[in-house]
Amino acid sequence: MTAPRTTDLGFARLDPDRVHRTGTPEVVYAAGKTPAQTVACLAALLDAGAGPDGRAFAWATRVDEATAAAVRERWPDARIDPEARCALVGEPPAPVGRVLVLTAGTSDGPVAAEACATLRACGVGARRVQDVGVAGVHRVLAVAPDIAAADAVVVVAGMDGALPGVVAGLTDRPVVAVPTSVGYGAAFEGLAALLTMLTACAPGVLVVNIDNGFGAGVAAARIARTVARGRATAER
């Protein structure tokens, strides 16, 4: 077995072979990095062919305006998603599978956008439906057919964080829950939603960290790709 490669930039040691081990390439977390450091990491991953299928594709999360400008200056055709705070350079894989991303409220949108951007970067189809929280539970019931058609459902919610449990009680699809830091004081910047999701009465709820749209997107992408492989095998 060949030892995994490491690309040493001095300030970062990149893992260009991660995609071969996990199916998900190393992604640049831009928060805490300078724009120049983020650009250098993206360039090194592109040069190493660290994207899916060995392609020249890389992306960064938690990209601020200065970093987005630096990425666009280096790669004018880069796709910048300001809501998701993601920058994508190169061409992602063609999408397979279907993941539905639900938000309890419009204020949860940025975290849901990060999940959707991550899914698309992972080569998985994503559809987003906003503002179906439990304060008007008929709204989530109205999208029950969309839930049933999905390979997995990402549910993004702040405040009391009750929506994932409701969704999990309506479907046999895997539910990936994302607590957000949206809410008034007793929400404790997402802690209340996190605890609600961890103690959901409905089984089958997988919970990621507060505001972690990226982690939810990766988890749902792996589920959807596994389902897609099963379909392909069954059709042979």
Coordinates of all heavy atoms in Angstrom, one line a residue, residues 28 79 89 131:
V28 N -10.7 23.3 2.4 CA -10.0 24.4 3.1 C -11.0 25.2 3.9 O -12.0 25.7 3.5 CB -9.3 25.4 2.1 CG1 -8.6 26.5 2.8 CG2 -8.4 24.6 1.1
R79 N -16.5 30.0 -8.5 CA -17.8 30.2 -8.1 C -17.8 30.6 -6.6 O -17.4 29.8 -5.8 CB -18.7 29.0 -8.3 CG -19.2 28.9 -9.8 CD -19.6 27.5 -10.1 NE -18.5 26.6 -10.2 CZ -18.6 25.3 -10.4 NH1 -19.8 24.8 -10.6 NH2 -17.5 24.6 -10.4
V89 N -13.5 26.1 -6.9 CA -12.6 26.3 -8.1 C -12.5 25.0 -8.8 O -12.3 24.0 -8.3 CB -11.2 26.7 -7.6 CG1 -10.3 27.0 -8.8 CG2 -11.3 28.0 -6.7
D131 N -38.1 27.6 5.6 CA -39.2 28.1 6.4 C -40.4 27.1 6.6 O -41.5 27.4 6.3 CB -39.7 29.4 5.9 CG -40.4 30.2 7.0 OD1 -40.3 29.9 8.2 OD2 -41.1 31.2 6.6

